[in-house]
Every structure is written in structure tokens, then in C-alpha cells.
Amino acid sequence: VRHEIKCIHGAKDSLKQVLMETFATLSTSEVTCLLSKPDIALTNAKDKTTMLPKVEQMDTHVKWVLREMTEEEEEDGAAEEEEVNQEAVEQPPPSAVSPADVTGGDFGTD
């Protein structure tokens, strides 16, 4: 679990579950919209104007990083596949090698 909710100022622990159920299924945009509403009070009111936009920026950044990682993995996989294919082209399959190739052939002796 990458989060911790601590109830303060006498709030009941049952509030933890309510918060988790409320926010667990929301998208970043939905969370930002919900938290920006006037009925949501913050200890520091400026956080609505300074921190909420950072949530959207972080979401965009994380998605970009994940997309870059995925593309790199796909490129690495394609490069490995190309290397394997190239090796297969350079080496004939075992059935293409005749016994004469292995034994040296007859070299014109009768």
C-alpha cells in the first residue's frame, strides 16, 4: 500500500474507509474536480490553486514515463527478434547440410 490515511482532530477511523471508497475509482481529473469544489476545506487554502494543478501534471508525467518505458521494451524486443532472425538467415538449417559437406566430399578420387 502506497498511502496512509491518519484521522486527526477526533475524526473516527471509519472515515478512512469512506475516503478510500470515494477516491479509489476516480480518475485524476475527477479527483481534481472534486477537491477543487468550494465545500472542500483545506488547511492551506492556497493549495487548491497551487497543488491541484500539480496533480494533473504528475498524472501526465507518469503516463509519459510509462509510455516511454513500454516503447523501449517493445524496441528492445524487436531488436532481439531481429538479431535472432538474422542469425537464422546466416546459419542454414541442419537439414540443408548434406553428409558430403560434413565428410569433405569425394574430392575427385575414384
Side-chain angles (χ1 to χ4, degrees):
V1 176
R2 294 183 168 234
H3 66 276
E4 184 176 351
I5 299 172
K6 290 190 177 200
C7 295
I8 60 172
H9 303 298
K12 300 203 181 291
D13 278 343
S14 60
L15 182 58
K16 291 179 184 181
Q17 189 62 32
V18 171
L19 287 170
M20 288 176 24
E21 288 172 1
T22 300
F23 289 95
T25 60
L26 298 179
S27 69
T28 306
S29 297
E30 292 169 326
V31 169
T32 302
C33 183
L34 180 67
L35 294 176
S36 66
K37 293 187 182 233
D39 62 333
I40 302 292
L42 301 178
T43 304
N44 183 353
K46 284 178 54 178
D47 282 350
K48 283 192 178 189
T49 57
T50 58
M51 299 309 288
L52 286 178
K54 293 188 184 297
V55 172
E56 291 285 341
Q57 291 171 355
M58 179 65 74
D59 182 57
T60 300
H61 179 72
V62 168
K63 287 177 181 175
W64 178 82
V65 168
L66 291 174
R67 186 173 52 251
E68 288 293 312
M69 289 173 57
T70 301
E71 288 174 1
E72 285 179 16
E73 288 175 2
E74 289 173 355
E75 289 172 2
D76 289 346
E80 288 176 14
E81 186 176 330
E82 178 62 29
E83 187 176 311
V84 168
N85 290 341
Q86 186 62 32
E87 288 175 3
V89 168
E90 292 172 357
Q91 298 176 0
S95 62
V97 178
S98 72
D101 292 335
V102 175
T103 60
D106 114 39
F107 298 102
T109 58
D110 292 330

